[in-house]
Amino acid sequence: MTVRGFDPIAGAPPSRTEDVRHIREALALARRGLGRVSPNPLVGAVVARGKQVLGTGWHSEYGGDHAEVVALREAGARAAGATLYVSLEPCRHTGQTPPCTAAIIRSGIRRVVIACRDPNPEARHGAEVLRQAGLDVEIGIEGTAAKRLNAPFLWFHQEWVPFASLKLALSLDAKLGAERVRTPVTGIRALDEVHRLRACHDAILIGRRTVAVDDPLLTARGEEQPRVPPVRAVLDTTLKLDTRSQLVRTVEQAPVWVFADAAAEGFEERAAPLRDAGAEVIGVPRRDEHSLSVSAVWNELAMRGVLSVLIEGGGQVAAATLRRGHVQRIHAFLAPVFFGDGGVPAFPGLGPSSPGDWRPVQRESLGQDTRIVFEHRRLDEVLRRL
């Protein structure tokens, strides 16, 4: 009797415990590519025979070898008859590199365990190519963790608009700081995490009021340096952004995109100094008298290749993006402090959400502060399609 996945030469098929352990290792390896591989996904791979690991790899740089190829190269001839564990479905197309499915088939791998599918129309269906070549393919082990890891990539290739994370440093009474004064809210460990978040997103979005009060730099200045500096985007309906702001003065360090009402009187005259300083001014329609259409902004970002956006404030921008359903994930950094009646509210004018719309998926202490990550029900629905 022949057991599916059993090779008399290779030995007994791996246990479920070994499958889970190896795929978790592949997921951990994938994280090493944070900030370096966009617009590609994070991918890790492990070649193993039973408990023995023969090769490991991860996609470390956009345009470089994919995780599967790196792991197979390390395993060498030992890969024949072994199992390949990979955090995302191997690609079947020629892009920056040749198709991974071809390398897997040539290696003599007998079984491939895939955490989740790839929805990218150019790369998907690699599992079917492998099955047609006679390999045993299993999909879905640690699928939830794999989808959460690559949520921005997976969301974009199913919805075709950027994935949005909202970052807020909050007091216990849900305030962003003191009125009209730049106010440190959280400590250094929380700030380190903010820089990591910046490095993991293609763009950072704020409103012009935040520039006026805080004059932020909005660059990723942590240990994880992005391959490409994230775009610094500003919502500025009437184009009042000061050319002396840190954003504009440092435009050579990272791009600055200013979204404004193109139909407003004097648009071209006010745009000229910003363009002369190196910023890109992008005209979009208004949603109402006071604000721009966030949907139009999102469409412009998508057309320019932005897969993920980190929204950093302030309260008006946070409330507007939440109100229109543009946020998939919230990173709430809570500080043990109260600002009282004089504090700036985090969500001005925001109405109630429906029960079950948001669920916490992560909690951690960062010194005196606490981070809670929430994900929206809509994100879960989209990821479940895979």
Side-chain angles (χ1 to χ4, degrees), residues 245-288:
S245 65
Q246 285 202 94
L247 290 181
V248 180
R249 287 190 290 108
T250 60
V251 71
E252 293 183 357
Q253 295 182 27
V256 175
W257 295 354
V258 185
F259 292 90
D261 177 14
E265 185 178 353
F267 172 83
E268 291 298 334
E269 291 81 359
R270 287 193 291 272
L274 290 168
R275 287 170 173 159
D276 290 342
E280 182 174 354
V281 180
I282 304 167
V284 294
R286 291 192 188 216
R287 178 181 173 271
D288 53 40

Side-chain angles (χ1 to χ4, degrees), residues 41 62 127 142 184 195 205 217 286 322 338 343 374 386:
Y62 177 73
E142 292 295 295
H195 283 296
L205 181 77
L217 191 55
R286 291 192 188 216
L322 285 167
F338 293 89
F374 300 89
L386 293 169

